[in-house]
Amino acid sequence: MTGERAAPAALLASALLLAGCHGLPGRPRPEDREVRPDKVEDFKVLYAENCAGCHGTEGRGSAALGLSNPVYLAIADDATLRQVITHGRRGTAMSAFARSAGGMLTDRQVEVLVTGIRGWARPPAVAGAAPPAHAGAPGDAVRGAQAYVTYCASCHGPEGKGGPKGSSIVDGSYLGLVSDQGLRTVVIAGRPEIGQPDWRNDVPGRSMTAEEVTDVVAWLASQRPATPGQPYPGR
């Protein structure tokens, strides 16, 4: 009986000793141990490390569109967010972030970002209005020139080269960094963090139609130089 009692006691003592090792001076606590980058699933950490540099703290906008913009979240569904995070935007500064497309994030981490960004939505974002679709077919640049005068010139100037309330939006360097889809998104959703109104508020009491949005984008795209970033002709 003595041996039978001693064995459990020895096992208990060993277990207590091992458990106590976690509290030894200099030994890191479990919560202090480094987490492998592909195991991070905290939205705030993932967003801060991968998105905030361009899209701003908590999606408020910075160099790029604010992802917490309520109108943007009303027109961009989860599939759109997932597509952009995964594959980026060709020809723009938005690179691919998913491993499957050459980035660093796992599919699970992409989903964490999609869910977290969607969590910023604040309905009703468009107050019963029907915004133009997030994506659209190519428009007509000639009609777009007139639509530009109606809705945009008061801020960006009659030729888009800058005005009293807005910078140039026909600058070759700018247009070389933004896709047609990016232009469309900004025309619809606006950029409230810098005072740019959405499609409803360029002209008081007169929203842009889906066709006018498409045509303005076509006009802006027509101003893009063939070789963005290269010296202008004659220089």
Side-chain angles (χ1 to χ4, degrees), residues 69-72 74-75 125-133 151-152 183-192 196-214:
N69 180 326
V71 177
Y72 173 69
I75 63 175
V126 294
Y151 294 100
C152 314
L183 292 170
R184 181 180 180 86
T185 299
V186 171
V187 171
I188 299 171
R191 291 200 57 180
Q196 180 177 339
D198 61 39
W199 94 103
R200 298 168 296 182
N201 299 304
D202 291 302
V203 175
R206 181 177 176 181
S207 299
M208 296 181 74
T209 66
E211 183 180 73
E212 287 170 330
V213 168
T214 298

Side-chain angles (χ1 to χ4, degrees), residues 102-127:
M104 297 292 291
L105 301 182
T106 65
D107 290 345
R108 170 59 186 159
Q109 289 172 320
V110 170
E111 288 304 315
V112 170
L113 285 172
V114 170
T115 301
I117 292 169
R118 179 62 59 202
W120 284 328
R122 299 187 300 276
V126 294

Side-chain angles (χ1 to χ4, degrees), residues 18 21-23 27-36 40:
L18 290 173
C21 288
H22 291 293
R27 185 182 181 89
R29 298 172 298 177
E31 60 268 27
D32 294 331
R33 292 173 182 168
E34 191 73 22
V35 179
R36 282 175 41 180
V40 175

Side-chain angles (χ1 to χ4, degrees), residues 126-232:
V126 294
H134 180 256
D140 183 286
V142 175
R143 291 197 308 261
Q146 183 56 53
Y148 171 84
V149 171
T150 301
Y151 294 100
C152 314
S154 62
C155 289
H156 296 286
E159 297 179 345
K161 296 180 180 179
K165 298 180 182 179
S167 61
S168 171
I169 52 175
V170 295
D171 180 82
S173 297
Y174 166 69
L175 291 173
L177 291 170
V178 63
S179 65
D180 290 3
Q181 179 60 60
L183 292 170
R184 181 180 180 86
T185 299
V186 171
V187 171
I188 299 171
R191 291 200 57 180
E193 73 276 9
I194 59 173
Q196 180 177 339
D198 61 39
W199 94 103
R200 298 168 296 182
N201 299 304
D202 291 302
V203 175
R206 181 177 176 181
S207 299
M208 296 181 74
T209 66
E211 183 180 73
E212 287 170 330
V213 168
T214 298
D215 291 342
V216 163
V217 171
W219 180 77
L220 289 170
S222 73
Q223 310 303 306
R224 186 183 288 121
T227 55
Q230 299 301 312
Y232 291 103

Side-chain angles (χ1 to χ4, degrees), residues 3-98:
E4 293 177 356
R5 292 176 179 175
L11 290 173
L12 178 61
S14 298
L16 291 173
L17 181 62
L18 290 173
C21 288
H22 291 293
L24 291 176
R27 185 182 181 89
R29 298 172 298 177
E31 60 268 27
D32 294 331
R33 292 173 182 168
E34 191 73 22
V35 179
R36 282 175 41 180
D38 61 342
K39 298 300 181 183
V40 175
E41 294 185 359
D42 182 285
F43 169 67
K44 290 184 178 179
V45 174
L46 288 172
Y47 180 84
E49 293 181 350
N50 297 281
C51 315
C54 291
H55 296 284
T57 303
E58 297 183 353
R60 297 193 187 104
S62 182
L65 175 80
L67 297 177
S68 63
N69 180 326
V71 177
Y72 173 69
L73 290 176
I75 63 175
D77 59 16
D78 287 3
T80 297
L81 296 176
R82 188 177 299 111
Q83 170 73 15
V84 174
I85 295 170
T86 297
H87 298 287
R89 289 287 189 195
R90 186 184 297 274
T92 76
M94 178 63 191
S95 59
F97 278 84

